[in-house]
Amino acid sequence: MPRARDTRPRHQQIAAELRDLIMRGELSPGTQLPSTTQLVKQYNAANATIQHALKALKDEGFLDSRVGKGVYVRDRKPFVIDAAAYITPTPGRFRYQLLTVDTIAPPADIVDGLQLAPGATAIIRTRILFHDEHPVELSASYYPAEIAANSSLARAAKIRGGAPQALTDLGFPQRSFADRISARPPTVEEAETLDLPDGTPVIRQLRVIYSDNERPVEASVLIKGAHLYELLYRQATDAEST
């Protein structure tokens, strides 16, 4: 079986090579990149192609130009998100903006996740997460209307203590969750709302939260720009099985 060929434009291929070096630490923060002339020779590419590749990495926050000095790797650390925790809002750093609260017929994956009966509705709360006033995550959280209607989850206002406290008050404390992680190109709305650089994929995180007796009480779809995040997973291992 013949190997697949990389048919991406040359500037995307070069950007991918440089991005990989930065993410692996081979090009550390503060490192000056070779000159454009050197990169042209190194990658056997036209000057315009190199400039296009560097612009893509600048747009993503990996590189920074210094007038009269050159192009340098920025001290840009990804948001390392522990998959077992939400981001806690912090004054001046992280904040959420509530966009909408509504009662809807949820999409199929949410119906499956919440184990809803045919025709059942859900409360949806959509939000944007900002970091230093830059949009970094879109979220849509769904709650079965049969338990969330007429509660603080159904009102268009911030919830004191957040959704975990609201669910606890309703008698459904959060006990566990399951995540499904995927990556894909963004929709037009996602690209524009998150101000994504051209060609940047998104991480899609579908989280289902369970209460007592494994009852699903919340399903959230979290959309993040893949250039900003790393997801961290920890799992204890059984030494006897190795």
Side-chain angles (χ1 to χ4, degrees), residues 23 45 52 89 108 113 117 129 150 184 204 217 219-220 229:
M23 293 181 71
H52 202 170
L129 174 66
N150 302 316
R184 59 165 172 76
R204 183 181 190 271
V217 293
S220 293
Y229 285 88

Side-chain angles (χ1 to χ4, degrees), residues 40 78 133 140 142 211 228:
V40 164
E133 297 307 310
Y142 301 80
S211 187
L228 296 177

Side-chain angles (χ1 to χ4, degrees), residues 6 8-22 27 33 36 38-57 63:
D6 185 351
R8 289 176 296 175
R10 183 61 178 146
H11 74 275
Q12 292 184 6
Q13 295 174 341
I14 294 170
E17 295 288 337
L18 292 171
R19 189 186 298 109
D20 179 58
L21 291 173
I22 294 170
L27 292 174
L33 261 63
T36 300
Q38 291 172 312
L39 291 173
V40 164
K41 183 177 181 180
Q42 178 179 342
Y43 289 103
N44 190 27
N47 183 289
T49 300
I50 296 298
Q51 294 295 342
H52 202 170
L54 296 179
K55 181 180 183 302
L57 294 174
L63 300 177

Side-chain angles (χ1 to χ4, degrees), residues 11 37 51 67 70 91 119 133 152 154 166 182 191 222:
H11 74 275
T37 300
Q51 294 295 342
V67 178
E133 297 307 310
S152 58
S182 56
L222 312 173

Side-chain angles (χ1 to χ4, degrees), residues 10-233:
R10 183 61 178 146
H11 74 275
Q12 292 184 6
Q13 295 174 341
I14 294 170
E17 295 288 337
L18 292 171
R19 189 186 298 109
D20 179 58
L21 291 173
I22 294 170
M23 293 181 71
R24 288 195 284 117
E26 296 297 320
L27 292 174
S28 58
T31 299
Q32 182 177 6
L33 261 63
S35 68
T36 300
T37 300
Q38 291 172 312
L39 291 173
V40 164
K41 183 177 181 180
Q42 178 179 342
Y43 289 103
N44 190 27
N47 183 289
T49 300
I50 296 298
Q51 294 295 342
H52 202 170
L54 296 179
K55 181 180 183 302
L57 294 174
K58 291 174 187 176
D59 290 345
E60 293 175 21
F62 285 102
L63 300 177
D64 188 28
S65 291
R66 301 180 189 176
V67 178
K69 295 184 178 180
V71 178
Y72 292 78
V73 178
R74 287 184 60 183
D75 186 8
R76 170 199 170 280
K77 296 181 180 179
F79 301 129
V80 180
I81 305 302
D82 193 321
Y86 287 109
I87 298 175
T88 302
T90 53
R93 300 294 288 175
F94 288 101
R95 71 174 180 88
Y96 286 102
Q97 177 183 330
L98 182 65
L99 298 178
T100 62
V101 179
D102 205 353
T103 301
I104 66 167
D109 57 348
I110 301 301
V111 171
D112 290 344
L114 292 177
Q115 300 175 20
L116 298 177
T121 57
I123 306 297
I124 178 175
R125 300 177 63 87
T126 61
R127 304 181 299 176
I128 300 180
L129 174 66
F130 291 88
H131 177 263
D132 291 343
E133 297 307 310
H134 296 290
V136 295
E137 180 184 86
L138 278 172
S139 65
S141 297
Y142 301 80
Y143 308 90
E146 64 174 327
I147 67 173
N150 302 316
S151 74
S152 58
L153 292 167
R155 292 193 287 271
K158 292 184 178 180
I159 302 170
R160 179 171 295 182
Q165 184 60 54
L167 288 168
T168 297
D169 293 343
L170 290 167
F172 300 98
Q174 297 183 358
R175 300 301 188 193
S176 64
F177 70 85
D179 276 355
R180 292 172 59 183
I181 309 296
S182 56
R184 59 165 172 76
T187 65
V188 172
E189 178 186 8
E190 292 163 355
E192 293 179 349
T193 303
L194 294 175
D195 193 21
L196 298 176
D198 289 345
T200 301
V202 293
I203 298 170
R204 183 181 190 271
Q205 187 174 357
L206 172 59
R207 169 169 292 182
V208 178
I209 295 177
Y210 300 88
S211 187
D212 296 323
N213 301 314
E214 292 296 304
R215 176 170 183 171
V217 293
E218 177 184 324
S220 293
V221 176
L222 312 173
I223 303 294
K224 319 170 197 292
H227 65 306
L228 296 177
Y229 285 88
E230 289 181 2
L231 298 179
L232 174 64
Y233 288 85

